[in-house]
Amino acid sequence: MTMNPRDRALKHPKTGKSFKPVPPVVPQVVPPSKQKRLRRALPGMSSWSALVIIVLAAGGLASAGWLGGQLIVDPQTLLWVNRFLPDWIPIPVTGLKPPQTMEAIQKELTQAGRMLGEPIQLGKNISFLDHKTTVSDVLLPVLARRSNCQSNCEQIVQLRVYQTIPGTQREQTFQLLEQQAIVGPDETFVLTPLINTGDENQGSTRSLPLMTLNRFEGKVPTQGIWLNLSGRWLRGDSTIAYGQVLHYNPSRFHLHQMLEWSSPVGQEPVWQEMFGGGSPELVLDQTVGMEPQFQIYQVKPRNFLPSPLQLESLSLLEPAIDDHAYEQGLVLARSGLWSTGLQWLESVRSKRGRWSDAAQAQQKLIQLHAQATQTQANKSWASPGQQVLANLVDGRWRRALTVFTANAENSLETAAVLKADSGRLQNRVDATLRVSPAQAEARSWGALLIAAQQGSNAAIAWLKKQPKMTSQERSRITALIQRLEPSAAEDTAAITFSPGQIVGVAETLTKINAATWLKPKQAEALKLGEQQVWYRVQVAGFQDGKRWRLADAGLELPANTPVDRLWKLLGLAAEPPLSIVVWLPDGEQQVASASIKAVRVNDGKLELLAAGDPALAIAKAGNTTHQPLAFTDSALQWQTPETMPLADLVQQQPEWAVDIMPILVRELKRTGLLASATASTWDALEPLGFGTLPVQLATLTGGKLPDIILTVEPEALTDSTERKAPKQRVRPRTLIFSATGKLLYSESSSEADLTYLAIASLGSSGDSAIVASGTSNYSLLRWSAKRQRFE
């Protein structure tokens, strides 16, 4: 008589004991026909082998390999599998440690020389015994005392996962489901952020203790439970935080280490929503000194049953889109020029409109760094050397030169900063020159870095290898190099002035009448260098040391004002640098470098004469709709507000959108950009193309919440009346709303004669101002709290 395979005794692979399988019970979810085929395919096969085959089919080789190892080492760790197996393929619940009360667990640990830490509640779960009763999972940290320790000596050496046992016991009992040994990160790993910025202390391979266990609260990913193991290490006057991020998967009773981390600023990682969509990311601050360094980790799936999630670091190595300018922006950002890289990416996005989520994520990471470097550069530092360094870190080459040349003390302090550079500043110079080989100010700092570290001869030799360098530029940089020497700096101290803050409109001149211009007595004769052109700058406003004098209000300068008084009033040093910017029709900026040579008062208007590089857009005035803007570096610093499509803002702030929609529609109807019958709701506006319109967030009125700048591009609207005339380009209209929905600025009504261009910080005060182009000059509009308007 042949024995039925189902009646054969099976042997447990660990204990060797024989047992018979439970008679098959037909599951509700599996038809009987399919069960028969499965049993015929697995005749005489053990439950362990059958399980591996099922997992191979369902979860892949990786999970099956892990399960196979666990089956051999400790089958009881896989009790959760019984939930998903038919009743005729069970894993027997034998060999489990008996349930214990909390008092018994504590007593057992005390006998072993260990201590029980504060329990962490992991929430409700389904009992591993009957797969239906609701119970609780609890995480217990096991502590051990460190040897040769005086205070805070208990470190976490083990984590145990327990589950409450259902029943009517007088005292609650707990079943041990999983336990893991805990080993802290190596000292070398903890010091890695410092090592990357030139720190010579490489650390050792010894493990640092983990002291604290916390559960992440607030807005965290909904999958499972997220925990943070952390420790602190005092190094000099600073505290370095480090630790591990853990994830508990309640459906598998599995605790898994997801990430080791280290933060030189002592900040533990936090979950926050960075890219929209409702799912938070893990943000880690690894900033060292003035070098910002943030890591953003996204939750991603992986093919591993016990822990089906992983944390993936956002990288800037591979461009998210195939675009040369985008790639150049990443090159600049990776070198530390976060603000410049962000400007490149925003320029690409303004041309493309919407782009991929991956590109948005890379831009957000760069923006996070740029905000840090911009804050540093805008800060007033007590040390001139630190002020120069903060500007160089943010790529503000010209502003750093202004501080460097202000006086002898600044020059000497800067020399010490350059000499101490471990390569971070050099990387920025190299990246800038790789993208823009003829960037004059970056070349100046490249030469100064070499001179400070290798000597002036090496710097001069490097200058000779630079492409398209004029003799005038080489002479200017050579003079800057000489300032690094104490004797030379003292000689120039007597002829330097505080940096001037001037803004005006520039135009090119084919020739000049030198007799009508006033220059300092010791200045050279008015002449152009190689490949230079003349610019006449009509001053729109300047800072006289006490206040801003604006042309609209009258500059109060008589025609016979002495040149020395004008020069001093304007705060000008010998041949001070000037930037001349023009906006192309697509919104891109083109910049020419110039230096101020002379000044005059012409018919009550203050004018400057400058010599500089020709700019194609400036030379061909027909290529632009705006006059060239001229300004000294200390007068304006461009801000880079956060930019997003209007649709994203409406989704984030629906109440604000409801408030501004009637006002927005009213203003656009005045200029004919919307038909008179257009409804004042978002549902009516979005199909017309409003969702893609760009908005910027900037603090202009001093409130706690940013104001909202909305630029309406007629070409983007499908309902634009003026768009019907294709030969006539209609200029964009900009409106600015407060965070509460109040209209503050409108180029459809109150500011109809202006065209918004950018947001800038004014001079040393750092006040935010709107830079707008008028019919004959530029306007710098600042918010008046008293009059509740821009003026």
Side-chain angles (χ1 to χ4, degrees), residues 148-276:
N148 302 320
C149 178
Q150 302 300 323
S151 62
N152 297 324
C153 300
E154 289 76 27
Q155 72 179 81
I156 299 174
V157 295
Q158 189 183 73
L159 292 178
R160 296 182 177 184
V161 177
Y162 286 86
Q163 189 173 88
T164 57
I165 298 298
T168 58
Q169 298 97 331
R170 188 172 184 180
E171 188 174 358
Q172 181 68 65
T173 57
F174 299 84
Q175 178 65 59
L176 177 63
L177 299 182
E178 184 176 12
Q179 57 186 8
Q180 287 189 11
I182 298 300
V183 179
D186 292 348
E187 184 183 54
T188 300
F189 169 82
V190 172
L191 291 178
T192 297
L194 299 175
I195 297 171
N196 291 340
T197 55
D199 195 296
E200 295 181 357
N201 187 350
Q202 302 292 310
S204 65
T205 57
R206 71 184 180 99
S207 296
L208 298 182
L210 293 166
M211 315 293 291
T212 307
L213 175 65
N214 293 307
R215 177 172 171 172
F216 283 105
E217 301 293 348
K219 189 166 187 177
V220 298
T222 56
Q223 312 98 313
I225 309 299
W226 295 85
L227 305 133
N228 185 37
L229 270 172
S230 62
R232 301 274 170 171
W233 186 42
L234 297 177
R235 187 173 185 270
D237 296 332
S238 61
T239 299
I240 300 177
Y242 59 87
Q244 298 171 354
V245 174
L246 308 177
H247 177 256
Y248 177 65
N249 182 5
S251 65
R252 305 291 191 261
F253 316 126
H254 185 68
L255 191 65
H256 190 79
Q257 178 184 313
M258 307 292 281
L259 173 73
E260 276 195 323
W261 59 267
S262 170
S263 173
V265 293
Q267 297 293 325
E268 297 188 358
V270 295
W271 288 99
Q272 61 185 86
E273 189 175 335
M274 300 296 294
F275 314 129

Side-chain angles (χ1 to χ4, degrees), residues 374-561:
Q374 290 166 14
T375 299
Q376 289 177 168
N378 291 331
K379 177 182 175 182
S380 294
W381 296 85
S383 164
Q386 293 298 98
Q387 191 76 63
V388 169
L389 180 59
N391 281 285
L392 291 178
V393 167
D394 196 42
R396 303 185 185 188
W397 308 115
R398 291 191 179 184
R399 190 174 181 185
L401 280 176
T402 301
V403 180
F404 171 68
T405 58
N407 55 53
E409 181 184 357
N410 289 11
S411 298
L412 295 180
E413 280 201 28
T414 302
V417 170
L418 299 181
K419 192 171 184 179
D421 177 48
S422 61
R424 307 291 290 183
L425 295 180
Q426 189 65 60
N427 289 342
R428 288 172 164 86
V429 171
D430 293 343
T432 299
L433 296 181
R434 187 158 60 249
V435 174
S436 305
Q439 221 286 356
E441 287 71 28
R443 288 204 285 212
S444 297
W445 284 109
L448 288 170
L449 274 165
I450 295 173
Q453 297 183 351
Q454 304 176 36
S456 58
N457 291 336
I460 298 301
W462 179 82
L463 282 175
K464 292 179 179 179
K465 297 178 182 178
Q466 299 308 302
K468 298 181 180 179
M469 177 170 286
T470 64
S471 58
Q472 184 183 22
E473 182 183 353
R474 187 178 296 112
S475 298
R476 180 177 60 81
I477 296 177
T478 301
L480 292 174
I481 293 173
Q482 293 174 354
R483 297 184 65 95
L484 297 174
E485 298 296 330
S487 58
E490 292 170 1
D491 292 340
T492 59
I495 61 172
T496 57
F497 299 86
S498 59
Q501 301 176 31
I502 307 171
V503 179
V505 175
E507 63 175 333
T508 55
L509 298 176
T510 55
K511 61 181 180 178
I512 65 167
N513 181 359
T516 63
W517 292 97
L518 305 176
K519 59 183 179 60
K521 295 178 182 179
Q522 299 179 352
E524 297 180 355
L526 296 178
K527 61 180 180 179
L528 292 173
E530 297 179 13
Q531 298 181 346
Q532 285 192 322
V533 296
W534 289 115
Y535 292 103
R536 178 174 60 193
V537 178
Q538 182 178 322
V539 175
F542 70 93
Q543 168 63 252
D544 65 4
K546 298 180 181 180
R547 62 186 176 90
W548 273 88
R549 296 194 189 187
L550 301 176
D552 293 342
L555 295 176
E556 304 170 9
L557 294 173
N560 59 351
T561 303

Side-chain angles (χ1 to χ4, degrees), residues 1-10 18-21 39 42-45:
M1 178 177 176
T2 303
M3 182 180 293
N4 191 315
R6 293 175 299 176
D7 298 328
R8 295 175 183 170
L10 302 178
S18 299
F19 67 93
K20 289 186 178 181
R39 286 199 296 270
L42 307 173
M45 188 174 293

Side-chain angles (χ1 to χ4, degrees), residues 698-709:
T699 303
L700 300 173
T701 58
K704 294 183 179 180
L705 297 175
D707 303 299
I708 299 162
I709 306 167

